[in-house]
Amino acid sequence: MGGRDEMRAADADRETVAERLRVALNEGRLDLHEYDERLQRAFAARTYGELDALLTDLPPVTPKQRSALEAVPAAGVPVGSPDEPAAGVVRTVTARWLADVWLPYLRVIAVVVTVWAATSLLSGELLYFWPIWVAGPWGAVLAVRTVAGLTRGEPRRAAIERERRPHGRS
């Protein structure tokens, strides 16, 4: 039977390697191009051996308990362990993803309903509520996307993608 290097890696293992690569990028150990290349290889990796190869030239991370340095969290940002993020961070990531998905819909629906209300008011009678034909189908698609995205971990992937972007763009 093969060793650990031939064993299949899980999504959690790939996420752990991706987080270590992000730390290495922030520390200046990797440039953006190399980080992107390794990150793509991490998410394509099938075995522990393929994942380990991405980290061989990077120093190990010193756990906070053994570090002489004390981490100073940003104001209002809860700190979790590297293995398990704080619940507040997970909630914030999910809330941001949900806002990114639903806010365009809510803005358009607000405009459409405002147009309907204004035309009803100006005509002096309650007109047929046609905005339902915009809100209904689009809302159904977004509801399916939300459920599917939450079950597949899309909020975390979106947060990782936001961190990969240069700071000048959002």
Side-chain angles (χ1 to χ4, degrees):
M1 183 162 221
R4 180 184 177 279
D5 285 351
E6 287 96 32
M7 292 177 72
R8 291 262 186 184
D11 285 342
D13 301 318
R14 291 184 216 26
E15 292 288 340
T16 300
V17 170
E19 176 62 20
R20 178 62 192 107
L21 291 171
R22 186 191 61 75
V23 168
L25 175 68
N26 289 342
E27 293 172 341
R29 298 181 192 279
L30 296 174
D31 63 25
L32 194 55
H33 176 72
E34 188 174 16
Y35 167 75
D36 185 51
E37 183 179 292
R38 288 188 190 202
L39 192 64
Q40 287 177 16
R41 288 177 40 207
F43 284 111
R46 292 186 183 171
T47 64
Y48 285 114
E50 292 173 9
L51 288 175
D52 291 343
L54 300 171
L55 303 175
T56 56
D57 62 338
L58 298 174
V61 176
T62 304
K64 289 181 187 177
Q65 299 84 355
R66 292 192 351 223
S67 176
L69 300 174
E70 184 176 330
V72 179
V77 177
V79 177
S81 72
D83 299 330
E84 188 174 313
V89 172
V90 172
R91 258 192 311 273
T92 302
V93 166
T94 302
R96 171 121 188 229
W97 180 78
L98 286 171
D100 289 345
V101 170
W102 283 92
L103 278 178
Y105 169 81
L106 294 174
R107 287 181 185 128
V108 168
I109 297 309
V111 168
V112 170
V113 169
T114 301
V115 169
W116 169 81
T119 55
S120 289
L121 187 63
L122 291 173
S123 72
E125 62 182 79
L126 197 59
L127 298 176
Y128 173 74
F129 189 70
W130 56 266
I132 194 70
W133 295 105
V134 176
W138 190 7
V141 168
L142 286 180
V144 170
R145 179 178 178 209
T146 300
V147 171
L150 289 173
T151 58
R152 288 190 315 241
E154 285 297 320
R156 187 162 184 196
R157 286 191 189 108
I160 290 170
E161 185 63 32
R162 268 193 305 277
E163 287 181 12
R164 287 177 50 198
R165 289 188 206 139
H167 292 288
R169 293 176 13 202
S170 57

